[in-house]
């Protein structure tokens, strides 16, 4: 199947939205309060730097995946260490996705269902989707793109009547540079997942035109997150707003309008579940590519089940220790680890510049 650049735009929008539109807002409300917009804009700008390095690295060999040519830049063993680091990151990130899914449905709709059962079912779906490959995952994102846009627009429209516009001046007058810098770095870790897009080749040729589509998709996600954060702040205030774990869904449920649109929350849940599935499947697909390269494709048919089982196992451990899960999920140490992995394209781009410059001399 042929994958186009606009399909990549839609996939990127769904992929990034699965996390930041749901889980970033309560963290930002708790930490930044009225100055959350500063962290969003600054963090988004920093993430674009990572994106530009990612495209630059991929464009060195546009028709070849980074997993194959990276050893020519950093050497065999350092490249293998980077692949192992990215592999562990993908599995760990997938376990967070699974546990988030279990927490939401386990507390709202499946209260008497054992967490392990939900995790195993979800693991099977992720496993099957990842085996279908990148092109199929992109086509799945095409299927929910329009529904996602409609549900988001209607949800935000529902929240407008409940906002208190008298709180707007606080956005300008309230600021703390230390918190702004810290939260900007945190936001960067949420938006800068660009390293996995090195694996879109050879399905797509990595070039400057792709950079424009990815920047446009990221900008749309920023607009959605910024609007959702602002409406949460103006509707509930900084103190009650940070208590909402699923702000957009909770705000739609609390809407005073008595019409069809006020019952749109099941649609939102369906879209989020689908986008989370796409996010997790692509992470497992990237982990599969990394491990296949490390093992030289030995046991290729068993890699995806093996990786998915590890992610489900980690999620199960977290379901037995919910307090540890929340500590790890919101810790600043994890933000730094995330950034170390997400900045892999920067390491390779700088190394390539130095190495190729020496060769030229």
């Amino acid at each position: 199947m042929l994958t186009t650049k606009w399909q990549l735009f839609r996939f990127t929008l769904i992929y990034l939205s699965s996390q930041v539109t749901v889980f970033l807002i309560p963290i930002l409300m708790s930490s930044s309060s009225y100055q959350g917009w500063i962290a969003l804009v600054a963090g988004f700008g920093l993430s674009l730097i990572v994106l530009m390095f990612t495209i630059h690295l991929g464009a060195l060999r546009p028709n070849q995946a980074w997993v194959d040519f990276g050893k020519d830049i950093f050497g065999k063993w350092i490249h293998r260490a980077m692949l192992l680091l990215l592999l562990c990151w993908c599995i760990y990130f997938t376990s967070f996705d699974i546990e988030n899914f279990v927490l939401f449905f386990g507390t709202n709709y499946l209260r008497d269902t054992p967490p392990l059962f939900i995790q195993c079912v979800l693991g099977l779906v992720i496993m099957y989707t990842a085996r279908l490959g990148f092109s199929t995952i992109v086509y799945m994102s095409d299927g929910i793109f329009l529904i996602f846009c409609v549900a988001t627009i209607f949800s935000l429209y529902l929240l407008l009547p409940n906002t208190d516009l008298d709180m707007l001046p606080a956005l300008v007058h309230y600021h703390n540079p230390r918190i702004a810098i810290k939260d900007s770095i945190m936001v960067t870790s949420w938006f800068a997942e660009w390293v996995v897009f090195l694996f879109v080749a050879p399905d797509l040729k990595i070039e400057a035109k792709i950079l424009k589509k990815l920047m446009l998709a990221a900008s749309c996600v920023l607009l959605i997150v910024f609007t959702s954060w602002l409406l949460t702040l103006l509707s509930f205030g900084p103190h009650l707003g940070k208590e909402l774990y699923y702000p957009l869904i909770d705000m739609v449920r609390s809407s005073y309008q008595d019409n069809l649109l006020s019952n749109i929350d099941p649609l939102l849940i369906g879209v989020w579940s689908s986008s989370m599935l796409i996010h997790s499947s692509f992470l497992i697909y990237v982990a599969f590519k990394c491990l296949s390269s490390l093992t030289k494709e030995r046991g290729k048919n068993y890699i995806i089940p093996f990786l998915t089982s590890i992610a489900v196992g980690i999620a199960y451990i977290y379901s037995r220790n919910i307090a540890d899960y929340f500590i790890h999920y919101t810790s600043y140490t994890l933000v730094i680890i995330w950034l170390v992995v997400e900045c892999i394209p920067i390491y390779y781009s700088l190394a390539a510049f130095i190495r190729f410059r020496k060769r030229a001399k």
Side-chain angles (χ1 to χ4, degrees), residues 49 75 83 92 109 123 130 154 212 227 285 325 337:
I49 297 176
L83 289 178
Y92 195 40
Y109 302 104
F154 281 136
K212 297 177 181 177
T227 306
Y285 170 79
Y325 164 77
I337 295 173

Side-chain angles (χ1 to χ4, degrees), residues 217-239:
S219 300
C220 292
V221 175
L222 173 66
L223 180 61
I224 295 171
V225 175
F226 181 86
T227 306
S228 301
W229 166 81
L230 184 60
L231 291 176
T232 303
L233 181 66
L234 298 181
S235 298
F236 294 95
H239 302 294

Side-chain angles (χ1 to χ4, degrees), residues 109-172:
Y109 302 104
L110 304 170
R111 294 183 181 179
D112 296 326
T113 305
L116 183 60
F117 177 79
I118 304 175
Q119 291 159 353
C120 289
V121 171
L122 188 60
L124 290 173
V125 177
I126 293 172
M127 184 190 311
Y128 175 75
T129 308
R131 288 177 67 92
L132 296 177
F134 172 69
S135 295
T136 302
I137 296 174
V138 169
Y139 275 82
M140 289 177 60
S141 64
D142 274 348
I144 68 170
F145 174 76
L146 184 59
I147 302 175
F148 170 82
C149 294
V150 172
T152 302
I153 292 172
F154 281 136
S155 300
L156 297 178
Y157 169 76
L158 279 175
L159 306 177
L160 288 175
N162 302 326
T163 57
D164 182 7
L165 299 181
D166 293 334
M167 298 166 64
L168 284 176
L171 301 180
V172 180

Side-chain angles (χ1 to χ4, degrees), residues 64-78:
Q64 188 178 7
W66 160 78
V67 69
D68 298 320
F69 71 82
K71 60 181 179 294
D72 298 333
I73 298 175
F74 249 143
K76 178 181 178 181
W77 293 109
I78 295 181

Side-chain angles (χ1 to χ4, degrees), residues 186-206:
M186 182 269 295
V187 170
T188 304
S189 70
W190 284 78
F191 274 95
E193 293 182 44
W194 301 114
V195 61
V196 295
F197 285 82
L198 291 170
F199 292 82
V200 304
D203 297 84
L204 271 173
K205 182 179 180 181
I206 299 180

Side-chain angles (χ1 to χ4, degrees), residues 295-319:
T295 60
K296 298 181 179 179
E297 298 193 353
R298 289 192 293 267
K300 185 176 180 180
N301 295 331
Y302 305 101
I303 290 178
I304 289 181
F306 172 70
L307 296 175
T308 309
S309 299
I310 295 177
V312 170
I314 296 174
Y316 176 70
I317 293 173
Y318 273 134
S319 67

